[in-house]
Amino acid sequence: SQQGEEDPQALSIQEGENATMNCSYKTSINNLQWYRQNSGRGLVHLILIRSNEREKHSGRLRVTLDTSKKSSSLLITASRAADTASYFCATGISTGGFKTIFGAGTRLFVKA
Amino acid sequence: DVKVTQSSRYLVKRTGEKVFLECVQDMDHENMFWYRQDPGLGLRLIYFSYDVKMKEKGDIPEGYSVSREKKERFSLILESASTNQTSMYLCASSGGRGTRGGYTFGSGTRLTVV
């Protein structure tokens, strides 16, 4: 099974609402990253939170990290139709060499 | 604007062909990666490289090889393409050692093997 697993798999909300996506992982991490992917394109790095950080903000994005529960959440506030995309969490680990492992993603659909 | 460029957006190849996927980055990054992305499976690491002429196997290296002769270029080679290698291929790069930074991805190459 994958190191990072997002929940829910899909999310549909109205424009203006907040969207929350969760990520759980299994092993110790150096950092956790969130990426966005628009349909058929490459991934775009959104935010990185280190293992000794608990919360980080970037514009309308808020990321939390709870290493005791091995989980993270991504909150997008006041969502827009342009936020429609897939969102992936990725865990940076250093066991067996440095690696970044991606989850399967959450598909977010924001209705105008 | 910094970029990772993949040579083709769409590619159709025949079974048994040797296929080259090229990736070039202009950020002087040490680290480069090749992933494949399939529905429901997320991104899976094929190969990566932390330095010129250096390569490491990822989680699914079978049927693939790579070449990194120059720092900015990382090529993925399908020695004998098969239909189960039909997928979206994503190249990424990052700077520094270890996993300190985020990755910059290319736009992807959607490969179809017929």
Side-chain angles (χ1 to χ4, degrees):
Chain A
S1 60
Q2 296 177 15
Q3 158 74 337
E5 295 189 1
E6 290 92 341
D7 169 58
Q9 289 186 332
L11 182 61
S12 182
I13 59 174
Q14 291 290 139
E15 207 166 29
E17 293 181 341
N18 295 341
T20 300
M21 288 159 270
N22 303 298
C23 172
S24 60
Y25 57 91
K26 295 181 171 61
T27 64
S28 296
I29 61 172
N30 293 334
N31 61 58
L32 189 142
Q33 304 161 46
W34 285 91
Y35 291 80
R36 184 188 74 233
Q37 183 180 35
N38 291 94
S39 181
R41 309 294 296 188
L43 279 71
V44 174
H45 181 253
L46 295 176
I47 198 165
L48 179 151
I49 186 166
R50 303 192 190 287
S51 59
N52 61 353
E53 296 175 309
R54 291 297 165 257
E55 188 169 313
K56 208 161 182 180
H57 296 82
S58 177
R60 293 184 296 114
L61 306 180
R62 174 177 165 251
V63 169
T64 61
L65 178 64
D66 187 335
T67 52
S68 66
K69 294 180 179 178
K70 292 187 169 58
S71 67
S72 173
S73 67
L74 170 67
L75 168 68
I76 304 174
T77 59
S79 62
R80 305 166 183 166
D83 294 328
T84 294
S86 292
Y87 291 83
F88 295 84
C89 74
T91 48
I93 63 173
S94 56
T95 345
F98 292 105
K99 281 186 184 180
T100 297
I101 302 175
F102 289 79
T106 291
R107 290 175 61 86
L108 173 66
F109 181 65
V110 182
K111 293 177 278 188
Chain B
D1 201 13
V2 294
K3 269 198 297 197
V4 174
T5 302
Q6 292 184 232
S7 52
S8 306
R9 285 294 315 279
Y10 300 94
L11 214 50
V12 179
K13 295 292 181 180
R14 295 197 179 278
T15 301
E17 275 193 77
K18 190 168 186 175
V19 181
F20 293 85
L21 302 183
E22 306 287 347
C23 176
V24 177
Q25 51 97 1
D26 63 2
M27 296 164 284
D28 200 35
H29 280 170
E30 291 88 348
N31 315 311
M32 297 188 75
F33 309 85
W34 275 106
Y35 289 87
R36 65 176 282 177
Q37 183 179 25
D38 300 287
L41 296 177
L43 277 73
R44 293 181 290 168
L45 182 63
I46 305 171
Y47 267 96
F48 59 100
S49 169
Y50 289 146
D51 204 349
V52 177
K53 296 192 186 295
M54 174 270 176
K55 60 186 178 184
E56 292 282 348
K57 291 180 180 179
D59 299 317
I60 52 164
E62 297 78 18
Y64 303 94
S65 62
V66 290
S67 171
R68 193 160 181 207
E69 295 296 317
K70 293 184 178 180
K71 190 176 185 179
E72 67 271 18
R73 185 180 296 271
F74 193 36
S75 303
L76 179 69
I77 303 153
L78 285 66
E79 297 291 342
S80 177
S82 63
T83 54
N84 63 13
Q85 292 178 310
T86 291
S87 186
M88 169 74 103
Y89 289 87
L90 293 164
C91 175
S93 72
S94 71
R97 293 294 172 195
T99 61
R100 294 196 188 93
Y103 289 8
T104 301
F105 279 85
S107 296
T109 295
R110 188 167 293 281
L111 172 68
T112 302
V113 182
V114 298

